[in-house]
């Protein structure tokens, strides 16, 4: 059904953003693992990693990185993390590593001898993932407005009928267990 397709797309988007977050965290960990207290990032390591993966960094981003670095060409973990969150180059690097990371025994951008982290296959609860994405105010319920926004591709009359059929307890909102009914049909 259309709702199942929409929920599946939502789950895929959530999985993609989760992979980006994990990739970002992994890259940050690799960047700081060379410092004694794991609180500094060496500019050369970052630039070498970009170069090794053929990631082009815009001049504006490179200038910003160089300004963050001290005279020893190091920057704080916090400054680098703040930079990386909005960096196109870091996003490209993480996306490329995610694509290449499925090759066994390799981890792009890592030093020789760096252990490869194995990724476990996790079964995704698609209903829960879609519900969390739709529950934007984190109340544990989908309001009528949240549900109608989600189901906006469905004609209003059918949308209202679906909302009414899912709302088993008649409280005007949908909880997770009521929402799961979409995935059982």
């Amino acid at each position: 059904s259309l709702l199942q397709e929409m929920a599946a797309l939502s789950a895929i988007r959530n999985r993609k953003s989760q992979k980006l977050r994990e990739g970002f965290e992994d890259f940050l960990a690799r960047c700081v693992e060379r410092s004694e207290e794991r609180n500094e990032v060496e500019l050369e390591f970052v630039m070498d990693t970009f170069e090794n993966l053929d990631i082009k960094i815009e001049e504006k981003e490179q200038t910003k990185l160089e300004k963050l670095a001290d005279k020893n060409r190091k920057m704080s973990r916090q400054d680098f993390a703040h930079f990386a969150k909005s960096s196109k180059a870091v996003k490209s690097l993480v996306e490329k590593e995610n694509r290449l990371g499925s090759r066994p025994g390799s981890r792009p951008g890592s030093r020789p001898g760096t252990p490869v982290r194995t990724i476990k296959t996790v079964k995704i609860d698609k209903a829960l993932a879609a519900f969390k994405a739709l529950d934007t105010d984190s109340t544990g319920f989908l309001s009528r407005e949240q549900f109608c926004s989600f189901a906006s591709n469905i004609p209003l009359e059918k949308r209202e009928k679906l909302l009414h059929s899912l709302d088993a307890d008649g409280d005007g909102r949908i909880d997770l267990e009521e929402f799961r009914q979409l995935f059982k049909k």
Side-chain angles (χ1 to χ4, degrees):
S1 83
L2 177 62
L3 287 175
Q4 286 176 320
E5 288 177 31
M6 291 170 65
L9 286 173
S10 177
I12 290 168
R13 279 193 301 268
N14 286 343
R15 191 172 80 213
K16 186 177 179 183
S17 63
Q18 175 67 26
K19 284 185 93 161
L20 279 174
R21 277 191 303 276
E22 288 172 356
F24 167 76
E25 290 165 8
D26 183 59
F27 179 55
L28 182 60
R30 283 184 284 136
C31 287
V32 297
E33 72 185 5
R34 300 163 65 124
S35 73
E36 269 183 47
E37 296 177 25
R38 299 194 187 283
N39 62 358
E40 288 183 319
V41 174
E42 294 178 12
L43 181 59
E44 297 311 314
F45 178 78
V46 174
M47 299 308 289
D48 288 348
T49 304
F50 288 148
E51 189 176 319
N52 290 341
L53 286 170
D54 294 320
I55 303 293
K56 305 291 182 233
I57 181 168
E58 292 178 3
E59 191 176 324
K60 170 176 82 172
E61 284 192 10
Q62 187 166 348
T63 302
K64 191 172 181 180
L65 261 179
E66 288 171 356
K67 284 182 181 176
L68 289 173
D70 62 18
K71 65 180 190 288
N72 297 320
R73 301 191 49 81
K74 294 181 181 183
M75 65 197 88
S76 74
R77 174 192 176 114
Q78 184 178 356
D79 285 347
F80 179 70
H82 182 74
F83 162 82
K85 285 178 184 173
S86 61
S87 166
K88 290 179 186 175
V90 172
K91 184 179 181 196
S92 296
L93 178 133
V94 168
E95 287 173 340
K96 191 167 197 175
E97 286 186 335
N98 281 341
R99 283 193 306 274
L100 299 173
S102 58
R103 294 190 321 226
S106 70
R107 187 170 84 185
S110 64
R111 296 189 316 272
T114 302
V116 175
R117 192 167 62 191
T118 56
I119 299 171
K120 296 177 186 170
T121 304
V122 178
K123 186 174 183 194
I124 296 173
D125 182 342
K126 292 176 183 155
L128 178 62
F131 186 84
K132 283 185 173 184
L134 296 171
D135 182 18
T136 54
D137 54 3
S138 301
T139 59
F141 296 95
L142 296 183
S143 67
R144 181 184 179 288
E145 293 76 26
Q146 288 169 320
F147 181 79
C148 288
S149 174
F150 159 68
S152 62
N153 293 354
I154 298 173
L156 181 62
E157 190 176 303
K158 287 185 178 184
R159 201 178 330 157
E160 292 292 336
K161 189 176 178 181
L162 181 60
L163 175 66
H164 184 72
S165 71
L166 289 175
D167 185 15
D169 60 9
D171 65 356
R173 54 191 190 168
I174 299 174
D175 64 28
L176 176 59
E177 292 314 309
E178 291 170 332
F179 187 74
R180 285 188 189 283
Q181 296 309 307
L182 286 173
F183 293 79
K184 292 179 182 174
K185 293 180 179 179

